Amino acid sequence: MANLIEDIGIIGASAAASSETFRVSKDADTGKTRKLYIESYGCQMNYADSEIVASILKKEGYDTTSDLRQADVIFLNTCSIRDKAEQTVRNRLTHFTAMKRNNPGLLIGVLGCMAERLKSKLVEEEKIVDLVAGPDAYRDLPRLIAQVDDGGKAVNTFLSREETYADISPVRLNSNGITAFISIMRGCDNMCTFCVVPFTRGRERSRDPKTVVAEATDLFNRGYREVTLLGQNVDSYKWSESENNKARLEKKGVDKLVNFAGLLEMVAQIHPDLRIRFSTSHPKDITDDVLHTMAKHENICKYIHLPFQSGSTRILGMMNRGYTREWYLQKISRIKDILGDDCGISSDMISGFCSETEADHAETLSLMDTVKFDYAYMFCYSERPGTLAEKKFADDVPPEVKKRRLAEVIERQNAHSLLRNKADIGRVFKVLVEGRSKKSEAYLQGRNTANKVVVFPKEGYGKGQYVQVRIEDCTGGTLIGKVAE
Ligand code: SAM
Ligand code: SF4
């Protein structure tokens, strides 16, 4: 059983917290002359951005490749969220130096959050970098590449107040053909003190809902059965015909607008067999309207990723999260009132934020005990240059204390994940099959509405089908069952 679980690529909570993994573009040979290789780091939004980049360059005569050696252009789509993510990218760049030496015509570019954060410094420090493009500069990539082809270096890190790439149909790079991500907004206006995102990805703007519905409809018609709507704070999605920038919308007092509940409603109506998920929700912004819309539509998955970051109201205040411990717990009660105890809830948390005491840490553990999350992404606090926390507070929790507290948090979460999964034994779930197990042809893998991974013997079923599965066993990360009669 252990092999089976490893095989389908489920990583435990501790692995998720410690690894800085990346995704590589897949091979697409449509007869184009040049090859683009993209390595993407960080969050789902970054992976979705790489698909926009691939789409823009496809029109310029590039096919994607998963083989570095075939590439004419190598892009690293980077993440700045923690120092470790940046270090991984720097190590990767060192690795590319030899390739560039043997192939001087090879173009190496840095995209995404690190590009925005480090700008031309990257070109100067990492001598092999030819091109730097921030998250809002991807339409400019053809011009930037031409500039490098002409013998120069190219940098564009301009942050837009309107860009959403609404009209660009992404090339699916790591797709299983069943589930896909759709960006519905960009940027973040929240200014959590620990976070670099508002600086690297700019102001919050929402994408035209008609283009979101069109993209989801097209995916459904091509056989996809699940879309995840993506944004740093989906609950603050706001769009009107005249304005898509949240700050300007609020300033102008526009009240005829589409909010997140409205967008969910529109996407849910595309087809009952198209499942909808979304991420990330913010405790201060998720509304009863959203929860009622979820309850109304069977095809909106009963799962919410609701980061809490810390169980201590004092620390939450210093983080500028805009809610208290009590407010967070009340939101959890609201979710359970409207959607029931079966609704999957996952979270993010940070150990060792500035001035965190043992008492604050104990409050984090006790909040976890109260909620019993199904899953969590857990991190040590990593001070980021330029953030409000870096300017205002001392990063004064010693690394070994951060690590010990994180280990305690992970241990607690592992126990809760197992407990929550054990409660599902004997129950029957509707599972959307995403594919087969890599090692065992005889097993399929999918997820239930609460986002739990379910593995079961194939019995003639296949990818893209909905199957009723009775759960017979579990680990902390997986439910294991058989097709229910
Ligand atoms: N917008 C989402 C939200 O507010 O919940 C999350 C965005 S961030 C990409 C994902 C997670 O990274 C955060 O929820 C937080 O737990 C973690 N994170 C962000 N900045 C961090 C930092 N400086 N050190 C450690 N973890 C951090
Ligand atoms: Fe960062 Fe806070 Fe915005 Fe999330 S809500 S992206 S943590 S600033």
Side-chain angles (χ1 to χ4, degrees):
M1 196 60 79
N3 274 353
L4 177 65
I5 289 158
E6 237 172 68
D7 151 38
I8 55 177
I10 302 159
I11 49 169
S14 54
S18 63
S19 65
E20 298 295 346
T21 49
F22 61 82
R23 289 193 187 174
V24 168
S25 48
K26 68 172 184 186
D27 296 308
D29 197 351
T30 63
K32 305 222 179 321
T33 49
R34 287 177 289 180
K35 295 279 185 198
L36 165 69
Y37 170 95
I38 316 184
E39 242 173 59
S40 313
Y41 293 78
C43 60
Q44 294 297 350
M45 297 229 43
N46 241 18
Y47 300 149
D49 275 6
S50 291
E51 298 184 335
I52 287 168
V53 169
S55 172
I56 290 169
L57 289 198
K58 194 174 173 191
K59 292 200 184 77
E60 298 294 309
Y62 286 88
D63 271 335
T64 51
T65 177
S66 63
D67 183 358
L68 264 176
R69 290 162 307 180
Q70 285 194 17
D72 300 291
V73 170
I74 296 177
F75 281 155
L76 291 182
N77 192 358
T78 61
C79 169
S80 283
I81 202 84
R82 284 167 290 276
D83 184 53
K84 199 169 167 204
E86 284 200 3
Q87 288 316 321
T88 311
V89 168
R90 291 218 180 237
N91 293 342
R92 261 330 251 167
L93 286 172
T94 312
H95 176 78
F96 294 148
T97 310
M99 291 183 69
K100 179 93 172 169
R101 220 180 284 129
N102 295 333
N103 177 8
L106 181 66
L107 187 154
I108 297 179
V110 172
L111 314 180
C113 291
M114 261 176 93
E116 166 52 36
R117 206 177 81 69
L118 297 169
K119 302 191 170 76
S120 43
K121 211 170 153 213
L122 268 172
V123 174
E124 285 148 25
E125 277 175 20
E126 309 283 346
K127 300 274 182 246
I128 58 160
V129 175
D130 302 297
L131 179 155
V132 174
D136 290 340
Y138 300 147
R139 283 182 204 271
D140 196 26
L141 280 170
R143 188 188 67 82
L144 297 172
I145 291 176
Q147 204 170 312
V148 176
D149 285 346
D150 285 346
K153 301 266 179 184
V155 178
N156 183 349
T157 56
F158 174 72
L159 281 178
S160 158
R161 285 177 181 258
E162 296 89 16
E163 179 64 274
T164 59
Y165 301 109
D167 56 317
I168 294 177
S169 173
V171 170
R172 304 289 161 188
L173 289 176
N174 297 98
S175 170
N176 55 14
I178 304 300
T179 59
F181 293 93
I182 300 182
S183 287
I184 62 161
M185 59 200 294
R186 299 181 74 80
C188 183
D189 282 356
N190 272 336
M191 300 305 271
C192 299
T193 56
F194 54 79
C195 186
V196 81
V197 169
F199 304 98
T200 60
R201 299 188 78 93
R203 300 306 298 262
E204 209 169 298
R205 50 234 123 100
S206 298
R207 178 176 168 186
D208 184 340
K210 293 188 287 300
T211 68
V212 175
V213 170
E215 191 174 327
T217 307
D218 175 58
L219 285 164
F220 182 76
N221 291 337
R222 289 197 281 134
Y224 285 79
R225 289 295 172 265
E226 182 181 296
V227 292
T228 302
L229 308 181
L230 287 181
Q232 293 298 349
N233 179 2
V234 288
D235 303 290
S236 91
Y237 175 94
K238 278 188 184 68
W239 184 90
S240 85
E241 203 69 60
S242 62
E243 185 61 76
N244 77 347
N245 177 291
K246 190 182 126 196
R248 283 198 214 139
L249 248 172
E250 285 174 355
K251 200 167 162 203
K252 288 183 189 168
V254 180
D255 51 11
K256 203 166 168 292
L257 47 78
V258 180
N259 63 13
F260 184 55
L263 178 71
L264 269 182
E265 182 80 46
M266 288 166 80
V267 182
Q269 283 171 5
I270 292 172
H271 197 285
D273 283 343
L274 180 69
R275 266 186 174 181
I276 296 121
R277 297 187 189 277
F278 53 87
S279 188
T280 299
S281 290
H282 196 298
K284 79 175 164 56
D285 292 316
I286 190 165
T287 59
D288 277 9
D289 246 10
V290 167
L291 301 178
H292 286 303
T293 308
M294 289 174 76
K296 185 172 147 199
H297 294 277
E298 193 269 340
N299 59 335
I300 304 181
C301 290
K302 306 301 176 274
Y303 164 68
I304 299 177
H305 183 61
L306 197 69
F308 75 100
Q309 314 298 1
S310 168
S312 152
T313 294
R314 185 183 72 85
I315 294 290
L316 288 170
M318 286 174 69
M319 287 176 164
N320 192 32
R321 286 289 290 178
Y323 55 87
T324 60
R325 173 191 176 90
E326 290 68 34
W327 171 282
Y328 185 89
L329 289 173
Q330 211 228 320
K331 277 289 164 196
I332 296 287
S333 299
R334 224 38 217 144
I335 292 170
K336 304 224 167 196
D337 286 350
I338 297 173
L339 296 168
D341 190 47
D342 285 348
C343 179
I345 303 178
S346 61
S347 201
D348 292 348
M349 63 76 51
I350 299 175
S351 271
F353 185 66
C354 314
S355 86
E356 186 190 74
T357 61
E358 290 302 327
D360 294 318
H361 169 59
E363 288 206 77
T364 290
L365 293 174
S366 90
L367 185 142
M368 294 174 77
D369 287 340
T370 306
V371 180
K372 296 195 178 59
F373 296 105
D374 292 284
Y375 193 81
Y377 298 91
M378 298 155 281
F379 312 101
C380 277
Y381 173 57
S382 165
E383 185 178 78
R384 307 309 295 130
T387 55
L388 297 176
E390 189 240 1
K391 290 184 186 140
K392 281 168 58 178
F393 311 125
D395 180 14
D396 54 1
V397 178
E400 59 282 6
V401 176
K402 284 182 185 171
K403 279 191 201 138
R404 193 254 306 149
R405 288 181 190 164
L406 179 64
E408 287 172 16
V409 163
I410 290 172
E411 196 187 330
R412 194 68 57 100
Q413 182 52 46
N414 285 343
H416 291 158
S417 296
L418 186 60
L419 196 81
R420 289 281 297 172
N421 281 357
K422 276 188 174 164
D424 287 337
I425 293 176
R427 303 184 60 194
V428 175
F429 292 111
K430 181 178 171 184
V431 175
L432 172 61
V433 180
E434 292 173 18
R436 43 153 287 207
S437 151
K438 277 182 216 134
K439 278 188 200 152
S440 169
E441 286 256 6
Y443 281 81
L444 292 174
Q445 169 196 338
R447 274 174 300 149
N448 70 2
T449 185
N451 207 33
K452 291 190 181 180
V453 175
V454 181
V455 174
F456 62 97
K458 194 157 145 184
E459 290 184 26
Y461 290 96
K463 220 163 132 165
Q465 283 183 299
Y466 286 102
V467 184
Q468 297 289 337
V469 179
R470 186 181 308 282
I471 306 307
E472 295 183 335
D473 199 356
C474 73
T475 68
T478 317
L479 301 177
I480 300 137
K482 282 210 179 93
V483 175
E485 295 305 316

